[in-house]
Amino acid sequence: MIKTIYLSRHGQSLNNTKKLIGGNSGLSSDGKQYSYKLHQYFKNNNINVNVITSNLIRTIQTAKYFNETTQFEELNEINSGICDSMTYLEIENKYPEEFNKRKTNKYYYRYPEGESYSDINSRLKKIYNLINDTETDLLIIAHQAVLRVLISNYIYSDIKDIPYLDVSLNTIYKIIIEENSCKLEIINSI
Ligand code: F6P
């Protein structure tokens, strides 16, 4: 059976505007506009989807115009442990060794008290199963690192490239899953 999944990052968050990673901030006014436009896109194109989000405020707010949504903590952004809510510059200054270790092997690097990209792939098993078992098309609203891993589960990417895949804000990634192949379309003018 052909199935389509639509993937989107949350709209711009307040932490995005301050260049802070992680945290649990709400949307900026740009982010709120995206949340409206995202819903309009599905409405105007008569696309019916079940909507799932992480359980962080920024994805829940992004889904606000959809009637029914379900939250999964498996879709939460990478847990950056002791580096949560810092800028990359602050991390580089405070934890230079950690910063360099991450640069050298980003997929397997695990933040102290946090996660690696590889850990995200393990916790996404539940979501891969959900996608397999769901008959309807899905809109998944999540986060940069999580969506890099999710997309690479369907569209092959070398492990070392996964943490650098371009997953932008204000963009819908549409994956058409067929019996033996998957196709990716990028929609960035909604
Ligand atoms: O900056 C936005 C963000 O979603 C952070 O919350 C997260 O830590 C980061 O992206 C993940 O991207 P990278 O693995 O490139 O640091």
PDB file of all heavy atoms in Angstrom, residues 54 108 128:
ATOM      1  N   SER A  54       5.796  15.776  19.161  1.00  0.00           N
ATOM      2  CA  SER A  54       6.558  15.407  20.361  1.00  0.00           C
ATOM      3  C   SER A  54       5.730  15.892  21.560  1.00  0.00           C
ATOM      4  O   SER A  54       4.632  16.437  21.374  1.00  0.00           O
ATOM      5  CB  SER A  54       7.937  16.079  20.336  1.00  0.00           C
ATOM      6  OG  SER A  54       7.824  17.464  20.606  1.00  0.00           O
ATOM      7  N   TYR A 108      27.506   9.124  16.793  1.00  0.00           N
ATOM      8  CA  TYR A 108      27.585   8.281  17.991  1.00  0.00           C
ATOM      9  C   TYR A 108      27.901   9.069  19.264  1.00  0.00           C
ATOM     10  O   TYR A 108      27.848   8.520  20.359  1.00  0.00           O
ATOM     11  CB  TYR A 108      28.618   7.164  17.798  1.00  0.00           C
ATOM     12  CG  TYR A 108      28.117   6.111  16.831  1.00  0.00           C
ATOM     13  CD1 TYR A 108      28.629   6.031  15.541  1.00  0.00           C
ATOM     14  CD2 TYR A 108      27.119   5.226  17.204  1.00  0.00           C
ATOM     15  CE1 TYR A 108      28.157   5.081  14.642  1.00  0.00           C
ATOM     16  CE2 TYR A 108      26.631   4.273  16.315  1.00  0.00           C
ATOM     17  CZ  TYR A 108      27.156   4.202  15.038  1.00  0.00           C
ATOM     18  OH  TYR A 108      26.677   3.273  14.167  1.00  0.00           O
ATOM     19  N   TYR A 128       8.531   4.138  13.928  1.00  0.00           N
ATOM     20  CA  TYR A 128       8.597   3.373  12.668  1.00  0.00           C
ATOM     21  C   TYR A 128       7.460   2.346  12.641  1.00  0.00           C
ATOM     22  O   TYR A 128       6.808   2.157  11.611  1.00  0.00           O
ATOM     23  CB  TYR A 128       9.942   2.645  12.519  1.00  0.00           C
ATOM     24  CG  TYR A 128      11.172   3.542  12.538  1.00  0.00           C
ATOM     25  CD1 TYR A 128      12.358   3.126  13.157  1.00  0.00           C
ATOM     26  CD2 TYR A 128      11.155   4.793  11.930  1.00  0.00           C
ATOM     27  CE1 TYR A 128      13.492   3.934  13.181  1.00  0.00           C
ATOM     28  CE2 TYR A 128      12.284   5.606  11.958  1.00  0.00           C
ATOM     29  CZ  TYR A 128      13.450   5.176  12.584  1.00  0.00           C
ATOM     30  OH  TYR A 128      14.570   5.975  12.619  1.00  0.00           O
TER      31      TYR A 128
END
